Amino acid sequence: MTYSAKLGLYIDGEWLTGDGRDVHSVLNPATGAGQADLPLASAADLDRALAAAQKGFEAWRAVTPEQRAAVLNKTAALVRERADTIARIATMEEGKPVAEAKGEVMAAAAMLEFHAGEAVRVYGRVLMRAPGMRSMVLHHPVGPVAAFCAWNFPALNVVRKIAPAVAAGCSIILKPSEETPGSAVEIMRCFQDAGLPGNVAQIVFGVPDQVSRHLLASPVTRKLSFTGSVPVGKHLMKLASDSVMRMTMELGGHSPVLVFDDCDLEKTLDILVTHKFRNAGQVCVAPTRFHVQEPIYEKFVEGFAERTKRMQIGSGLDAATQMGPLANPRRPDTIAALVEDARASGARVLAGGEREAKDGGFFFQPTVIADIPLEAKAMNDEPFGPLALIRAFGTVEDAIAEANRLPFGLAAYCFTESGRRQNLLAETVEAGMVAINQVRMTWPDAPFGGMKESGFGSEDGPEGIMAHLTTKAVHIA
């Protein structure tokens, strides 16, 4: 199947292609072959985008909330209409099974519809004062946004950045990943065809450090929104601090899974194995550190390994595939090094643990590692791949201590039938999102974000739009 995305920069309503610009080769992770050339922005392109974003903001902030909502709803309808095409492109550039990609695209459409509804529900308040006086609290759009998003959800991440900015009345310049540009381009075409002005939302690609330094150094930019790794997030925060701009930082995680001996073991295993290897484990909220209570530990390990060995690996375009390749040639090497370190530390590799030779693609077997010591690198550095790391624990206190041991706090999962224990875990586990007896974290109406080194601020939900608004108090006598 041919990669059909028409790649380009989208600046001030114009699609820009080659014309002497440097290019980046977009690879197919299932084969390792190049499939398209992506033009990269020059400094002049970025200056043009910034100037357009300033003009776009001045006009868009004056547009009625109902008009913003109409554009978002029309965009959602176009995304649903083009879902099969966008999903195939996402699979060909990121690797995930096409059914997963289709689900991602449909989730993006739902996100657009939610933000359309929220666009007309940005409320202030009137404060009680003596007769003849009035105090009001108002919310205004913060201004042009510079947004950067990761490659692992190439359609949904784009919508997560653009939709709340547009709903709030901001303009936005988005730099998606150069490894998965086609999905972003197709989503942007939906916004364009829905009538969003070309200076309100723009897409640029380029050398990441050059683009981020250029956009964040500009006085035009009033907010940074970033989804990606902790080290890169810290670097961008330093750049953004020079102008004291607003920030939303959705950084990495290392999600603990606390499995207690009163859980429904078979159901828990069925849920967790599927979710662990979703998108080949390349998910910021992927369950990763499995802490299992001692009485059921061996049964859990055995059941997890058996299910993992049955998983079908292959091209995401193959309907039988349950797990596709990793997204780029760097990932298999990283995962292999973590597995070897775990082996050297005395852990048991019960399933997988090796690269998978398939058509030159970036495949690595879904892997289960038991009895892994805390000192192993994989237990401290986010693997971001198909590794399930399993350890035993004794008491509830032990489990909570293990969950909170690392400086990350994005997502956590708990499986127990005890209502009292569920309440305790919800209160004491240090994570921005906690799922109990299920694994879904992304809902259009719920905030998505972390704590500690996993970042701050929220995407999605009403909180996602509020992150694009400033608060002003007005006092009248």
Side-chain angles (χ1 to χ4, degrees):
M1 185 177 295
T2 303
Y3 181 76
S4 58
K6 297 178 181 178
L7 302 181
L9 311 170
Y10 186 62
I11 298 177
D12 200 11
E14 182 180 1
W15 287 101
L16 307 174
T17 54
D19 299 331
R21 294 180 176 86
D22 292 337
V23 297
H24 170 82
S25 180
V26 181
L27 305 181
N28 184 333
T31 65
Q35 55 189 351
D37 285 333
L38 172 69
L40 304 180
S42 65
D45 290 327
L46 298 177
D47 284 337
R48 180 183 173 190
L50 286 163
Q54 183 62 48
K55 291 181 180 178
F57 170 60
E58 292 166 0
W60 190 247
R61 68 182 304 179
V63 168
T64 68
E66 290 78 10
Q67 290 174 290
R68 297 176 200 156
V71 169
L72 289 167
N73 276 321
K74 188 171 183 180
T75 304
L78 291 172
V79 169
R80 292 186 186 278
E81 180 183 312
R82 302 171 187 179
D84 288 335
T85 297
I86 299 172
R88 284 194 298 272
I89 290 171
T91 292
M92 294 188 72
E93 62 187 9
E94 199 274 344
K96 68 182 65 178
V98 72
E100 284 186 27
K102 177 74 173 289
E104 175 189 340
V105 174
M106 299 307 283
M111 200 77 70
L112 285 159
E113 290 161 348
F114 172 80
H115 284 95
E118 287 298 296
V120 300
R121 289 193 287 270
V122 176
Y123 304 131
R125 66 186 190 273
V126 177
L127 309 178
M128 292 298 294
R129 294 289 183 265
M133 296 185 65
R134 174 162 293 180
S135 291
M136 298 178 291
V137 179
L138 306 177
H139 298 293
H140 297 301
V142 67
V145 179
F148 307 84
C149 58
W151 44 260
N152 57 335
F153 287 88
L156 182 59
N157 283 340
V158 169
V159 167
R160 269 193 163 137
K161 300 301 182 189
I162 298 178
V166 167
C170 297
S171 60
I172 182 170
I173 302 173
L174 175 67
K175 193 201 81 66
S177 170
E178 287 72 26
E179 294 177 340
T180 55
S183 306
V185 165
E186 293 304 313
I187 293 291
M188 181 56 81
R189 292 187 188 278
C190 292
F191 277 105
Q192 180 187 25
D193 293 345
L196 184 68
N199 55 9
V200 173
Q202 304 174 85
I203 281 186
V204 298
F205 300 96
V207 178
D209 187 56
Q210 293 177 7
V211 174
S212 60
R213 287 182 184 276
H214 200 110
L215 296 183
L216 297 180
S218 171
V220 169
T221 305
R222 297 310 311 150
K223 175 180 167 66
L224 161 64
S225 181
F226 174 70
T227 300
S229 71
V230 173
V232 174
K234 290 180 178 180
H235 169 68
L236 295 181
M237 288 169 61
K238 291 175 182 177
L239 295 178
S241 67
D242 285 343
S243 59
V244 199
M245 68 177 64
R246 291 278 293 276
M247 302 181 204
T248 297
M249 307 300 289
E250 198 272 276
L251 307 182
H254 203 322
S255 302
V257 186
L258 308 184
V259 182
F260 292 85
D261 59 8
D262 66 337
C263 75
D264 183 332
L265 183 57
E266 296 302 313
K267 180 180 178 182
T268 298
L269 283 166
D270 288 341
I271 292 172
L272 286 176
V273 173
T274 299
H275 197 60
K276 166 67 255 184
F277 300 115
R278 179 175 67 110
N279 198 19
Q282 300 168 127
V283 182
C284 58
V285 296
T288 303
R289 297 178 289 138
F290 296 82
H291 300 286
V292 183
Q293 201 160 24
E294 288 167 351
I296 61 169
Y297 178 73
E298 289 300 336
K299 286 186 177 179
F300 181 92
V301 167
E302 180 182 341
F304 206 112
E306 288 177 354
R307 288 165 171 80
T308 300
K309 290 174 182 177
R310 295 197 295 265
M311 294 199 70
Q312 297 295 312
I313 309 169
S315 167
L317 297 176
D318 186 338
T321 293
Q322 295 172 288
M323 192 185 92
L326 303 187
N328 58 60
R330 304 182 302 277
R331 300 309 306 153
D333 290 340
T334 299
I335 299 303
L338 291 174
V339 172
E340 289 311 305
D341 176 78
R343 280 196 175 105
S345 69
R348 291 186 289 157
V349 178
L350 301 181
E354 305 291 340
R355 291 178 175 82
E356 185 82 7
K358 281 182 178 288
D359 304 321
F362 313 136
F363 292 92
F364 199 95
Q365 297 170 345
T367 299
V368 178
I369 304 177
D371 305 342
I372 185 167
L374 296 180
E375 295 75 22
K377 290 181 181 178
M379 288 295 286
N380 298 282
D381 300 332
E382 182 183 20
F384 216 68
L387 299 186
L389 314 170
I390 312 178
R391 283 177 53 86
F393 73 85
T395 67
V396 175
E397 292 75 17
D398 293 337
I400 294 171
E402 286 301 319
N404 296 340
R405 180 178 63 87
L406 296 181
F408 311 113
L410 186 58
Y413 304 86
C414 309
F415 289 81
T416 176
E417 295 300 315
S418 167
R420 184 182 299 274
R421 187 181 292 145
Q422 291 172 6
N423 289 330
L424 175 66
L425 296 170
E427 292 287 342
T428 58
V429 172
E430 296 173 349
M433 298 169 283
V434 179
I436 299 177
N437 293 336
Q438 59 97 31
V439 291
R440 183 173 176 181
M441 292 292 187
T442 300
W443 305 79
D445 58 354
F448 188 99
M451 59 176 65
K452 302 198 290 187
E453 290 195 12
S454 288
F456 52 85
S458 296
E459 297 185 298
D460 309 345
E463 292 82 357
I465 293 182
M466 290 304 296
H468 292 78
L469 299 170
T470 59
T471 300
K472 179 187 291 184
V474 179
H475 307 286
I476 303 173

